Amino acid sequence: MMDDISSIRLGAFLTILIIMLLLEFWLPARHLPNRANAPKPATRWVGNIGILVISAIAARMVLPIGLAGIALYCQQQQWGLFNYIAVPDWASITISLLLLDLLIYWQHRLFHRVPLLWRLHKVHHADVHVDSTTALRFHPLEIIASIGVKALAIILLGVPASAVILFEILLNGLAIFNHANIRLSPRLERVVRTVLVTQILHRIHHSQIMCETNSNFGFSIVWWDRLFGTYSAKASKADEDLDIGLIEYPNAKQNAWLTGLLWMPFTHKKK
């Protein structure tokens, strides 16, 4: 069964990633910065995809059965809130999806707020360009920490395995979608941003201006940012002119090379 779950997740992940990559190639919203120390496209891709592979291996070593396996075990042992109270399956799945997404929103805010956690998360923000591969670019230690947070929530809530699988597919898919280097038509973008985090909204989160970086924390739905006062509808610059990345990591060896990304949390540059 776990092999089937992994196949479903991988299939959905690759399908969404390939679609977004094709759209980026066909209709890119922005181009890599044209400056002497900017990384080449191939360098970024090797770094971003390379760190994904390392993070995936680390995650499998830390939790071989995966989060869905944790959920199945909790169901067998009758651990967690939803294994104690009688609610319809649709209700437990819906509530679980919302609570897990809310958890990721606050986890994201915490990784911006706590200096030690920011050291890990800045690997994601140091990218000077935002595209589908940026959604894959998280330090292995951040991935492990995130797995621990989600696993604890699954145990306490007794989240159904089906909700865990659906949540992981939605979270990964929507993260790739809102990082994609595309731009929806203005009319469609206004409609989509009432529910989901769009590309323009998330590029604001990747701005070099820290007050903009510390906004639009949602990876999926936009409601949490609106509810908790972190929503930013417009940046100080137009989307096509927005300065992306971290000022303190200006060159390719720091912000794009795989070795630089892995070592970045252990440097002493501050936010």
Side-chain angles (χ1 to χ4, degrees):
M1 182 176 180
M2 298 310 299
D3 289 340
D4 292 338
I5 292 173
S6 297
S7 298
I8 292 170
R9 284 193 58 208
L10 181 60
F13 169 79
L14 290 176
T15 299
I16 296 169
L17 180 61
I18 290 169
I19 290 172
M20 290 298 109
L21 288 173
L22 290 173
L23 288 173
E24 289 176 338
F25 179 77
W26 182 35
L27 293 171
R30 295 166 52 96
H31 298 280
L32 266 170
N34 185 19
R35 60 174 189 256
N37 59 355
K40 295 179 180 179
T43 303
R44 283 188 63 257
W45 277 40
V46 169
N48 291 357
I49 295 174
I51 203 168
L52 165 70
V53 172
I54 295 171
S55 295
I57 293 171
R60 180 55 66 94
M61 291 176 64
V62 170
L63 191 64
I65 63 173
L67 293 173
I70 292 287
L72 287 171
Y73 184 77
C74 290
Q75 185 177 358
Q76 293 168 359
Q77 302 299 319
Q78 292 296 291
W79 291 350
L81 179 64
F82 289 125
N83 290 313
Y84 278 98
I85 60 176
V87 295
D89 289 343
W90 68 266
S92 63
I93 291 173
T94 302
I95 295 170
S96 294
L97 290 175
L98 289 172
L99 289 178
L100 287 172
D101 198 59
L102 178 60
L103 174 68
I104 293 300
Y105 165 84
W106 279 107
Q107 174 189 293
H108 194 180
R109 287 191 65 173
L110 194 65
F111 269 80
H112 276 248
R113 184 74 175 176
V114 178
L116 182 61
L117 298 178
W118 172 251
R119 283 176 173 250
L120 301 176
H121 189 57
K122 67 183 178 180
V123 172
H124 180 68
H125 277 271
D127 202 344
V128 297
H129 186 55
V130 177
D131 63 14
S132 298
T133 68
T134 310
L136 319 177
R137 174 181 160 139
F138 291 93
H139 197 275
L141 293 178
E142 179 174 0
I143 294 298
I144 291 171
S146 182
I147 288 173
V149 170
K150 286 183 281 191
L152 180 60
I154 289 167
I155 293 169
L156 293 176
L157 293 173
V159 176
S162 55
V164 173
I165 298 167
L166 184 56
F167 176 73
E168 290 193 293
I169 291 173
L170 288 172
L171 181 65
N172 291 337
L174 288 170
I176 294 170
F177 167 76
N178 59 47
H179 281 87
N181 183 31
I182 61 175
R183 188 178 294 116
L184 304 178
S185 68
R187 180 177 296 181
L188 180 59
E189 208 272 344
R190 284 194 298 270
V191 173
V192 173
R193 71 161 55 190
T194 61
V195 179
L196 301 177
V197 178
T198 64
Q199 293 79 22
I200 290 177
L201 290 177
H202 199 71
R203 281 194 283 268
I204 294 171
H205 180 71
H206 280 266
S207 167
Q208 289 184 358
I209 300 173
M210 277 302 150
C211 63
E212 295 177 348
T213 303
N214 292 322
S215 69
N216 297 348
F217 289 99
F219 276 112
S220 305
I221 57 177
V222 78
W223 302 334
W224 311 127
D225 284 297
R226 291 182 179 274
L227 180 62
F228 297 109
T230 54
Y231 178 73
S232 180
K234 189 176 180 181
S236 56
K237 292 184 177 181
D239 181 56
E240 58 271 17
D241 299 322
L242 197 63
D243 296 316
I244 298 295
L246 298 176
I247 297 172
E248 60 267 35
Y249 293 98
N251 63 67
K253 287 187 178 181
Q254 295 173 314
N255 63 44
W257 286 23
L258 179 57
T259 51
L261 300 183
L262 291 171
W263 182 248
M264 190 180 292
F266 311 105
T267 63
H268 298 290
K269 295 180 181 181
K270 296 182 180 180
K271 188 174 179 179

